[in-house]
Amino acid sequence: MTDFTPPAPPRVVIVGGGLAGLATAVSLVGLDLDITLIESRPRLGGRASSFPDPSTGELVDNCQHVSMTCCTNLTDFCRRVGTANLFRRDPVLRFLSPEGKLSEMKPSPLPAPFHLAGSFLGANYLTLFERLRVAFGLACLRFATKPTLEPFAQWLKRHGQTDRTIERYWGTVLISALNERLENLDISHARKVFFDGFLRNRYGYQMELPLVPLGELYGSRLETWLQSRGVKLRMTTGAKSVELGADGTVTGLTLRNGERLDAEFVVLAVPFDRVASMLPEGAIAQLPSLEHLDEFRSSPITGVHLWFDRDICPWPHVVTVGRLVQWVFNHTELQGRRATGETGQYLQIVISASYDLLSKDNASIKDAVLKDLAEIWPAVNEANLVHWRVVTEHGATFAVRPGIDAIRPPQRTPIDGLILAGDWTDTGWPATMEGAVRSGYKAAEAILADVDRAEVLIKPDLPETRLARLLLGPPLP
Ligand SMILES: Cc1cc2nc3c(=O)[nH]c(=O)nc-3n(C[C@H](O)[C@H](O)[C@H](O)COP(=O)(O)OP(=O)(O)OC[C@H]3O[C@@H](n4cnc5c(N)ncnc54)[C@H](O)[C@@H]3O)c2cc1C
């Protein structure tokens, strides 16, 4: 009898422990692959993570992260790793007008796409005539199906929208959802938010809010899950460059400490501005899909964390229309976290596309936010601010500028063994956790196809009603 040594499993090195890299790793475990994940920071989660507050030791999210029920792949990812129960689904979206009037968006028994029509008609931050104007704009958006370089703000003006409807309706929804100003926004992404997010399925718009800090949700829990399934995690380890053999295929990865890891596959699951420096000289010339990498831009988000000694916000979350403050999340109600022991309230304020704040210092941002909140809730003037922290992420997301989808690269590259992932790669989704997970699943699909175990990992969208398909047309590719 001769000894039989089974062939060594193919080696996969994933660079980047954000949701894209995590989704790649999670979907490849148990498939007889030798997986190593390299992350330069001491924690997993990438941009969806928390840090220990230096003065209190409490875990503070870099910023509130919200997903919607239409994010079917993020949901699938959380189910796979056993964290799907760590979210609260909220069917009610609250909007507070600059005049202090509350409107609630919630579904009526009407079928999609009319399930939110009743709430929309009751939206008291717009006049009746403005609501009809917005409805006309939404109807016109149905026919905006061709790729174009026209910014969405210009399109809105051409379709009868006024400064007030743009500020109070279109801007309120889209700046938070897409993290870009409307003057710089791609129309197809705006269309995607309204049609695919809110209208095709009656549950798609519902918000999913984490019940635990992001550092636990996408950090410590994932660390344990992956390690217990044999994935080698190398934290606080920077990747330097992908190695190619004489035949031009991937042979491994060199780390910043000089160590070399041999691998048949390297997945670069890093932000767009890190990719070029990790490719060997001359490789970029073989990658026409990366020709436009230098045209990508980033867009900032500012999160303001405020710990008050008393209750300020009566709701779990609220969208504040026409203000500096765009969204208030009540972490005392959502996660049971308080300012001091049993009392007080911890609010997280989110300001997306916060370009105007980039030149301001944190104390002025905090003061401006407090002033804005005091106009909504005068109790802010009497309250004691126990603690505060401002976190501005300059490169929070890639900017969904007009024409962006034409330059997003696919995950598979023409270099054998080199795969890309990351929210910025071609997923059809804006810069979101769903986009990142989709890119990770697509990266894993490319690897599985190469080892002759092709599998579809991407989950389908929520089903749409026939009426929605008829009235909204098919989703854009
Ligand atoms: C403030 C803020 C608020 C947001 N809010 C939302 C929201 O409400 N909803 C939503 O869906 N999305 C939101 N996003 C976007 C979401 O966080 C991202 O789309 C998603 O997390 C991106 O995941 P990723 O894996 O593509 O990239 P990243 O999370 O950036 O992961 C890349 C990883 O690569 C690592 N890395 C880079 N270079 C190297 C190297 N040389 N060696 C090793 N590791 C390296 C980085 O440290 C990082 O961990 C928000 C983002 C920010 C910043």
Side-chain angles (χ1 to χ4, degrees):
M1 229 166 95
T2 52
D3 275 351
F4 172 71
T5 317
R11 291 158 297 185
V12 180
V13 173
I14 301 165
V15 182
L19 277 161
L22 291 173
T24 312
V26 163
S27 53
L28 291 178
V29 294
L31 295 175
D32 197 26
L33 294 162
D34 176 345
I35 307 167
T36 305
L37 191 147
I38 308 288
E39 169 54 52
S40 55
R41 295 188 208 180
R43 54 182 177 265
L44 296 176
R47 277 170 276 161
S49 59
S50 318
F51 60 91
D53 188 307
S55 47
T56 63
E58 191 181 349
L59 264 193
V60 176
D61 293 346
N62 63 340
C63 191
Q64 175 74 46
H65 273 58
V66 177
S67 56
M68 286 159 72
T69 307
C70 61
C71 299
T72 50
N73 289 273
L74 179 65
T75 305
D76 176 71
F77 170 81
C78 293
R79 275 202 200 113
R80 279 175 185 253
V81 300
T83 56
N85 59 335
L86 297 179
F87 291 85
R88 155 184 171 146
R89 181 179 290 186
D90 211 327
V92 182
L93 294 186
R94 288 170 205 82
F95 294 81
L96 196 62
S97 77
E99 298 77 28
K101 288 193 254 168
L102 184 72
S103 312
E104 290 190 334
M105 183 195 275
K106 51 186 174 195
S108 71
L110 290 175
F114 294 115
H115 54 296
L116 298 173
S119 302
F120 174 70
L121 290 174
N124 58 23
Y125 49 94
L126 298 171
T127 64
L128 178 61
F129 191 64
E130 284 169 340
R131 278 169 250 165
L132 295 174
R133 198 181 272 285
V134 167
F136 170 72
L138 284 169
C140 295
L141 202 51
R142 153 78 174 86
F143 301 99
T145 52
K146 298 237 157 57
T148 165
L149 294 180
E150 181 178 24
F152 192 53
Q154 195 175 312
W155 183 95
L156 286 170
K157 288 273 179 185
R158 279 203 304 111
H159 291 82
Q161 302 305 304
T162 60
D163 289 344
R164 248 178 71 105
T165 59
I166 291 176
E167 189 201 358
R168 291 193 171 206
Y169 184 76
W170 301 97
T172 298
V173 176
L174 292 173
I175 294 173
S176 298
L178 295 174
N179 192 33
E180 186 51 285
R181 291 167 162 166
L182 304 195
E183 306 88 78
N184 280 331
L185 191 69
D186 182 82
I187 296 174
S188 64
H189 282 278
R191 193 179 188 278
K192 185 170 187 65
V193 170
F194 286 108
F195 287 12
D196 302 356
F198 285 88
L199 298 180
R200 286 192 194 281
N201 178 287
R202 60 184 293 107
Y203 303 106
Y205 77 97
Q206 297 190 347
M207 285 207 311
E208 308 270 351
L209 295 153
L211 297 171
V212 295
L214 296 171
E216 178 183 336
L217 195 58
Y218 304 124
S220 51
R221 294 236 179 190
L222 262 295
E223 220 174 299
T224 311
W225 194 92
L226 289 169
Q227 270 170 337
S228 67
R229 283 158 182 82
V231 175
K232 288 168 241 166
L233 290 182
R234 302 275 307 261
M235 319 282 270
T236 327
T237 304
K240 187 164 173 244
S241 64
V242 177
E243 299 300 328
L244 302 183
D247 61 354
T249 64
V250 163
T251 55
L253 180 84
T254 301
L255 303 179
R256 285 193 199 130
N257 64 11
E259 191 185 337
R260 197 198 130 98
L261 303 178
D262 293 329
E264 283 71 44
F265 296 97
V266 172
V267 181
L268 290 183
V270 295
F272 67 85
D273 53 356
R274 305 292 164 84
V275 171
S277 66
M278 274 190 243
L279 295 174
E281 229 180 276
I284 203 131
Q286 296 173 47
L287 299 168
S289 64
L290 293 184
E291 201 183 328
H292 298 280
L293 208 48
D294 58 357
E295 290 170 32
F296 278 80
R297 295 289 174 271
S298 299
S299 180
I301 300 182
T302 299
V304 180
H305 303 258
L306 302 169
W307 287 263
F308 291 101
D309 67 344
R310 64 196 71 187
D311 289 354
I312 302 291
C313 172
W315 306 293
H317 53 85
V318 63
V319 180
T320 51
V321 176
R323 293 189 173 276
L324 166 69
V325 165
Q326 294 164 357
W327 208 315
V328 180
F329 294 92
N330 176 347
H331 271 243
T332 303
E333 188 160 340
L334 293 170
Q335 298 187 356
R337 299 168 71 180
R338 294 189 175 275
T340 46
E342 294 301 301
T343 60
Q345 199 173 56
Y346 168 23
L347 301 181
Q348 261 196 48
I349 312 302
V350 179
I351 305 171
S352 297
S354 58
Y355 296 100
D356 292 341
L357 300 182
L358 294 182
S359 59
K360 296 195 182 351
D361 60 62
N362 287 346
S364 344
I365 295 173
K366 180 258 300 171
D367 289 344
V369 164
L370 285 177
K371 185 164 170 285
D372 216 22
L373 290 181
E375 286 177 19
I376 306 172
W377 299 297
V380 168
N381 290 321
E382 280 86 53
N384 179 22
L385 186 63
V386 180
H387 184 49
W388 61 275
R389 196 156 286 281
V390 175
V391 184
T392 295
E393 295 270 358
H394 290 241
T397 63
F398 72 91
V400 277
R401 300 219 167 153
I404 184 73
D405 283 345
I407 62 170
R408 292 170 78 181
Q411 290 69 32
R412 182 187 283 288
T413 75
I415 296 180
D416 264 358
L418 177 66
I419 317 278
L420 303 172
D423 59 357
W424 60 280
T425 59
D426 182 14
T427 66
W429 275 69
T432 50
M433 296 181 285
E434 169 72 7
V437 170
R438 279 179 181 243
S439 76
Y441 281 4
K442 284 180 154 207
E445 283 179 355
I447 293 171
L448 291 176
D450 282 358
V451 296
D452 294 330
R453 269 187 267 152
E455 196 182 322
V456 177
L457 297 167
I458 293 280
K459 294 293 161 212
D461 293 335
L462 293 178
E464 58 181 341
T465 58
R466 262 198 233 153
L467 191 59
R469 168 63 69 121
L470 185 74
L471 294 175
L472 307 175
L476 297 181

